[in-house]
Amino acid sequence: MSQQPILQAKGLVKRFGRVVALDHADFDLYPGEVLGVIGDNGAGKSTLIKALSGAVQPDEGEVLLDGQPVVFPSPISARDAGIETVYQTLALSPALSIADNMFLGREIRKPGIRGAIFKQLDKREMERFAREKLTELGLMTIQNISQAVETLSGGQRQGVAVARAAAFGSKVIIMDEPTAALGVKESRRVLELINDVRARGIPIVLISHNMPHVFEVADRIHVHRLGRRLCVIKPSECTMSDAVAYMTGAKEPPQDAAAA
């Protein structure tokens, strides 16, 4: 690709004691694409994503956003830079409303003295914004924006987490196993959501063990093995069994893919 990656990592190293989780790992995400990230358990996928989203600090190497070196001391600093992460656990508070969950940690306060001094929240504005964002992604099957998240189905909860990321993730959205705990129908809705977000021009990093899902929505697939990027493949030029073989070490990737 001739264009510049929007998010890039070069030579990331992360050690936990004697365990090398990242071994000079590289990563490239280009504007407007869905990049699948696959790898066997223990390959270092999670550590790579945590390094990109500020949850862990790499011992060596650098992360670049829009071509500029960045250091994220925390996930909040990555979020402030426009990188939103939808974790497998969703990071939602079940007892709070949909609107409250959308604004968790970035609540809107009322204008003037009520907000500045008395810290009153502007519930109406938060609910209006939440409803608007859910409608944009076709999620307004949820009737009541003020209902508690614990009353929603698994797919609806995933939808709220994705809508939150899409609302605030101006540069990149990282999704960690978004369909892992969902049924067939709800998984289908999440894949549609991924396509909806991509259509709005926001690139997505999709970490998943579900090969059919990755092959369906990804433009390119990053294969992670033994703490580093083994190769990058295109779903149109590779079979799922090839991808699994690369991932497990049963087969060597072609030279052009390994150099990508």
Side-chain angles (χ1 to χ4, degrees):
M1 288 193 179
S2 56
Q3 62 189 145
Q4 175 180 283
I6 189 164
L7 182 63
Q8 190 174 21
K10 294 181 180 177
L12 292 188
V13 175
K14 182 64 184 176
R15 301 179 188 88
F16 296 100
R18 290 188 174 184
V19 177
V20 180
L22 292 178
D23 184 11
H24 301 89
D26 296 325
F27 175 90
D28 297 297
L29 175 71
Y30 288 91
E33 76 169 344
V34 175
L35 177 70
V37 176
I38 61 172
D40 217 346
N41 287 334
K45 302 187 305 296
S46 295
T47 307
L48 171 67
I49 296 312
K50 285 175 180 174
L52 295 172
S53 62
V56 302
Q57 312 308 312
D59 299 322
E60 295 174 32
E62 63 176 351
V63 176
L64 297 96
L65 185 64
D66 285 329
Q68 300 299 313
V70 287
V71 176
F72 299 133
S74 70
I76 292 173
S77 59
R79 202 172 77 174
D80 290 343
I83 299 173
E84 283 285 331
T85 306
V86 181
Y87 295 101
Q88 198 171 345
T89 55
L90 299 185
L92 297 174
S93 292
L96 294 181
S97 73
I98 295 165
D100 287 340
N101 269 286
M102 287 278 284
F103 283 92
L104 209 56
R106 48 186 149 212
E107 292 80 2
I108 299 175
R109 289 184 182 157
K110 286 187 174 178
I113 194 169
R114 288 185 300 169
I117 305 295
F118 297 107
K119 309 285 193 265
Q120 287 184 1
L121 300 182
D122 193 338
K123 291 275 190 182
R124 185 175 295 177
E125 175 58 21
M126 285 159 58
E127 288 180 2
R128 183 203 64 75
F129 183 88
R131 189 176 288 109
E132 178 186 298
K133 292 302 172 187
L134 289 170
T135 303
E136 273 179 25
L137 289 172
L139 286 165
M140 276 321 287
T141 48
I142 297 167
Q143 299 300 317
N144 182 3
I145 208 81
S146 58
Q147 74 188 88
V149 160
E150 64 194 356
T151 65
L152 302 178
S153 70
Q156 288 174 323
R157 292 185 198 198
Q158 188 67 258
V160 170
V162 173
R164 178 174 65 187
F168 299 105
S170 56
K171 295 278 180 70
V172 174
I173 294 177
I174 298 171
M175 302 180 74
D176 185 8
E177 299 284 359
T179 60
L182 302 181
V184 174
K185 187 178 176 185
E186 293 184 329
S187 294
R188 171 60 35 207
R189 185 70 198 103
V190 170
L191 296 180
E192 288 169 4
L193 273 177
I194 290 170
N195 285 324
D196 290 345
V197 172
R198 171 176 41 196
R200 297 170 60 195
I202 303 173
I204 295 171
V205 180
L206 172 65
I207 305 105
S208 181
H209 280 104
N210 191 311
M211 286 293 167
H213 291 171
V214 172
F215 268 73
E216 181 179 338
V217 298
D219 299 297
R220 297 184 308 136
I221 299 172
H222 167 123
V223 181
H224 211 71
R225 176 165 163 74
L226 301 176
R228 60 168 63 193
R229 179 174 68 187
L230 176 71
C231 62
V232 177
I233 55 178
K234 289 190 175 175
S236 57
E237 299 169 1
C238 185
T239 66
M240 282 186 222
S241 52
D242 282 339
V244 172
Y246 300 151
M247 202 170 88
T248 56
K251 188 174 176 181
E252 285 296 312
Q255 278 304 111
D256 57 337

